[in-house]
Amino acid sequence: MRMSRDAMARHRKDIVAAASRMMRERGISATSVADLMQAANLTHGGFYRHFESKDALAAEAIAAAFDDHVRGLGTNIEKLGPEAAVEDYVGDYLTRRHLTRPGFGCPMAALGGDGAREAKVVQEAFAGGTRKLIDRLAAAQTGAPAERRAAAIRLLATIVGAVVMSRAVGEADLGDEILAASRERPAP
Amino acid sequence: MRMSRDAMARHRKDIVAAASRMMRERGISATSVADLMQAANLTHGGFYRHFESKDALAAEAIAAAFDDHVRGLGTNIEKLGPEAAVEDYVGDYLTRRHLTRPGFGCPMAALGGDGAREAKVVQEAFAGGTRKLIDRLAAAQTGAPAERRAAAIRLLATIVGAVVMSRAVGEADLGDEILAASRERPAP
DNA sequence: TGTACATCAGTGAACGCGCGTTCACTGATGTAC
DNA sequence: TGTACATCAGTGAACGCGCGTTCACTGATGTAC
């Protein structure tokens, strides 16, 4: 039956939230419309009242994941100051806890590999989210202002690569070695 | 009809080579058995005379991709010496040419994201290949011997992350900025 | 070395299954009066 | 404010499609004699 506008808006958010988490856990194509609608306590038939296609939802889910991720970093910068916040961010990023809970972690580490082969609308969500994340990290960077952005990108590349590799190898010892080596940063 | 042992061995290699390239281009699950058998000039029905399952082939294809990749680096080390070879390796890695030809590039950058959700046998192939790549890079590293392995891992993480991010955003300008920033290495 | 025959690599149709998407239907919501 | 009714969010069956895997069959290969 017809739902109230409020209920519909709530359902839409539930679907995006379920997709944001489930896609980070399983990958985009391995997340079926039926599964995620069930996770949002709905049936799959109603999906197309909210989204034009699965791709359109994927784009929104990824944008939402980046927004959540960047918001966490921003909150910490306000609380701890830029230097300590970045240190915290990297420290949390390169942990076994992050490795094993991709649904709550960095969308680039969880889905960046998929992104290369996704529809343009999905890649645009990656681009927008990545810009926001780089901007935040660059603003929190110390060192010569002209170099802050490049340093932020390099830092992000290192931790994304470390988590992708650690997850791919599936071996606790090799994975931990990769995390540990990436945690040590060479003296600037 | 029955094929000679030589023909069968050739076909097996053709299948692994086709899978190694196609999986890096399309992802593991998006590469269908029928498509890759066709790429190897065979029909899909014969697949199971060679491999127990698609997962078993994926593991072999990834191991082969790492072997090719590591062999290229090793050849360069012998030709140019460790320092110049690593510089060359990183230079080639962080190029638009590498971005756009994943089928011939680093298997970790192309498939690492998929690896997190694959069967154990596939993750073992990632682990084996990653160990070989780290070993080669570490041996070619300059600086304090105790730090060489960690430095190699950090370097690898940075370039893998840079390529994953560049491919995911799909935008030439942002992608190029990520490559360029990752190319500049902070003074040691 | 020659021959009879068992083996088995490759073929192509078929299997069950899950996918994204569509659709007729239901009944509470929102609106026009 | 109350009422009649058009709208449409959600349901669940159905659609065509491609997937990994299986199987009966074919005929060249490899082997036993």
Side-chain angles (χ1 to χ4, degrees):
Chain A
M1 58 297 208
R2 184 169 180 177
M3 300 310 239
S4 71
R5 285 204 251 273
D6 271 12
M8 194 189 180
R10 219 179 316 115
H11 290 166
R12 190 180 211 283
K13 278 188 183 165
D14 288 348
I15 297 168
V16 173
S20 177
R21 174 176 172 179
M22 212 178 242
M23 286 179 172
R24 275 180 281 182
E25 284 169 352
R26 306 184 186 181
I28 296 173
S29 62
T31 299
S32 75
V33 169
D35 279 357
L36 70 88
M37 287 297 277
Q38 190 170 40
N41 295 311
L42 293 163
T43 53
H44 67 277
F47 179 83
Y48 293 88
R49 299 272 176 202
H50 292 282
F51 304 97
E52 194 193 315
S53 64
K54 189 188 166 185
D55 276 348
L57 167 65
E60 275 202 47
I62 284 159
F66 271 104
D67 283 350
D68 281 357
H69 188 71
V70 173
R71 189 179 308 117
L73 173 59
T75 305
N76 257 11
I77 291 175
E78 282 162 31
K79 242 192 276 182
L80 310 172
E83 214 154 336
V86 170
E87 200 176 318
D88 247 47
Y89 175 75
V90 174
D92 287 349
Y93 203 107
L94 298 173
T95 54
R96 183 145 287 280
R97 183 179 164 82
H98 185 200
L99 286 197
T100 56
R101 300 167 77 246
F104 304 94
C106 175
M108 182 57 85
L111 295 174
D114 293 33
R117 311 158 205 135
E118 288 292 330
K120 197 173 179 186
V121 65
V122 176
Q123 296 195 333
E124 283 165 1
F126 273 105
T130 303
R131 276 184 209 282
K132 287 183 196 173
L133 182 52
I134 290 173
D135 286 351
R136 280 273 191 191
L137 273 177
Q141 213 67 17
T142 58
E147 281 301 315
R148 281 182 192 168
R149 200 175 157 84
I153 290 172
R154 230 179 292 122
L155 172 61
L156 184 58
T158 306
I159 63 180
V160 167
V163 168
V164 166
M165 292 199 295
S166 289
R167 286 185 178 143
V169 300
E171 277 180 25
D173 54 349
L174 181 55
D176 286 344
E177 188 193 6
I178 292 168
L179 291 188
S182 306
R183 229 179 273 123
E184 302 165 30
R185 301 177 61 189
Chain B
M1 59 296 208
R2 184 169 181 178
M3 300 311 240
S4 71
R5 286 205 250 271
D6 270 12
M8 194 189 182
R10 220 179 315 116
H11 291 167
R12 190 180 210 282
K13 278 187 183 166
D14 289 348
I15 298 169
V16 173
S20 177
R21 174 178 172 178
M22 212 178 242
M23 286 180 172
R24 276 180 281 182
E25 284 169 352
R26 307 184 186 178
I28 296 173
S29 62
T31 299
S32 74
V33 169
D35 278 357
L36 70 87
M37 287 298 277
Q38 190 170 39
N41 295 311
L42 294 163
T43 53
H44 67 277
F47 180 82
Y48 294 88
R49 299 273 175 198
H50 292 282
F51 304 97
E52 195 192 314
S53 64
K54 188 187 166 185
D55 277 348
L57 167 66
E60 277 203 46
I62 284 159
F66 271 103
D67 284 350
D68 282 356
H69 189 71
V70 173
R71 188 179 308 117
L73 173 59
T75 305
N76 257 10
I77 291 174
E78 282 163 32
K79 242 192 277 185
L80 310 171
E83 213 154 337
V86 170
E87 200 177 318
D88 248 46
Y89 176 74
V90 173
D92 287 348
Y93 203 107
L94 298 173
T95 54
R96 181 145 289 279
R97 183 180 164 81
H98 185 200
L99 287 198
T100 55
R101 299 167 78 247
F104 304 94
C106 175
M108 182 56 85
L111 295 174
D114 293 33
R117 313 158 204 134
E118 287 293 329
K120 197 173 179 186
V121 64
V122 176
Q123 295 195 333
E124 283 165 1
F126 274 105
T130 303
R131 276 185 209 282
K132 287 182 196 173
L133 182 51
I134 290 173
D135 286 352
R136 279 273 191 192
L137 273 176
Q141 213 68 17
T142 59
E147 282 300 317
R148 282 182 193 168
R149 201 174 156 85
I153 290 173
R154 227 179 294 123
L155 171 62
L156 184 58
T158 306
I159 62 180
V160 167
V163 168
V164 167
M165 292 199 295
S166 289
R167 285 186 178 143
V169 300
E171 278 180 24
D173 54 349
L174 181 54
D176 286 344
E177 188 193 5
I178 292 168
L179 291 188
S182 305
R183 229 179 273 124
E184 303 165 30
R185 302 177 60 188

